[in-house]
Amino acid sequence: MPPTSTVVRAMQEALSWILPVECAGCDLPDVALCDSCRAHLVRVQPVIRNLDGMRVVSAHRYEGVVERVIGSLKNDGRVGLARPLGRSLAGAADALDAPKSTRFVPVPTTRAAFGSRGFRVVETLCRRAGIVCTPALAPTRAAADQRRLGREARRGNVAGLFRSAPMHGSLVVVVDDVVTTGATLREAARALRAAGGEVLGALTVASTPRRSAHSENADQGPKNGW
């Protein structure tokens, strides 16, 4: 019996005759994700950041193939891309090396984003990564789109945005798809600590390359919403 990967690839090639596709990472025709771009996602090279004492581990820099594949998942609804991205997230989790008792809490998807996509990006990535997540966070209000806001405006936009279910001493890791300025992760960590959780760090698939203070104030970050 042929390996599962061979069967899946054969099915993808057959479907490409009916529904033409292009590689999400490089536009190669007739394949959802080519071998080269898939290998790029497999090569996890953790990016470590420190946000006010919170260690954030990301599998990749948010650029090139990684940026395009995440954009295709979020903006084009290509849910099949969650599997290779989930493997990247699993690699970041290995690098964080959290205790087994840790609870992984996803940053919640906004109502508007869920309505337009029909799925919750971070929770989907967690499932594909084999991470059992605890959806403890919920928004307290609507927030403006972060994409067009600079660093300080982002912090103000998400201040007090989340509330958390009681965590009562649980060890917690926050999970998101992309970290840009870190405003959302900081707010998520604040809410979890207020609910009694001990935040060990955060995981993301990708980290936007940090820039100078001047360029960060003009940074629009990832070109996709929550």
Side-chain angles (χ1 to χ4, degrees):
M1 185 174 179
T4 302
S5 60
T6 302
V7 173
V8 170
R9 186 161 303 175
M11 292 175 63
Q12 290 175 336
E13 291 175 354
L15 284 172
S16 71
W17 288 92
I18 305 170
L19 300 171
V21 296
E22 295 177 337
C23 174
C26 68
D27 294 333
L28 185 73
D30 300 332
V31 62
L33 190 66
C34 73
D35 289 342
S36 177
C37 291
R38 190 179 299 275
H40 184 88
L41 295 179
V42 168
R43 291 192 295 271
V44 172
Q45 297 179 319
V47 179
I48 312 297
R49 291 174 60 173
N50 186 304
L51 297 178
D52 302 335
M54 178 172 63
R55 187 167 181 251
V56 181
V57 179
S58 305
H60 307 283
R61 290 167 64 89
Y62 186 77
E63 58 190 9
V65 169
V66 175
E67 179 178 359
R68 293 194 59 176
V69 174
I70 292 175
S72 291
L73 169 66
K74 298 179 72 172
N75 300 332
D76 302 331
R78 297 177 64 174
V79 184
L81 297 171
R83 188 172 297 280
L85 290 172
R87 293 194 186 102
S88 292
L89 186 63
D94 289 341
L96 185 62
D97 193 27
K100 290 185 178 180
S101 60
T102 301
R103 301 174 75 177
F104 293 85
V105 178
V107 169
T109 301
T110 64
R111 183 175 298 179
F114 179 73
S116 64
R117 296 186 186 119
F119 67 100
R120 293 178 172 83
V121 173
V122 183
E123 292 184 35
T124 301
L125 290 172
C126 284
R127 285 196 297 272
R128 296 296 184 265
I131 295 172
V132 177
C133 59
T134 302
L137 292 170
T140 59
R141 56 176 171 79
D145 191 335
Q146 293 276 81
R147 291 175 292 181
R148 293 177 174 81
L149 302 178
R151 173 179 290 273
E152 293 306 318
R154 283 179 180 232
R155 288 192 181 188
N157 186 46
V158 298
L161 179 62
F162 300 134
R163 64 176 182 273
S164 172
M167 302 307 288
H168 299 313
S170 295
L171 302 178
V172 181
V173 168
V174 185
V175 188
D176 206 355
D177 56 344
V178 179
V179 54
T180 303
T181 65
T184 302
L185 291 180
R186 286 186 179 94
E187 164 57 17
R190 179 209 60 77
L192 290 163
R193 292 185 185 114
E198 181 183 345
V199 179
L200 301 180
L203 294 176
T204 72
V205 174
S207 174
T208 301
R210 285 178 286 181
R211 306 173 184 177
S212 66
H214 173 76
S215 61
E216 280 182 334
N217 285 337
D219 179 24
Q220 291 187 13
K223 295 179 176 59
N224 36 64
W226 291 340

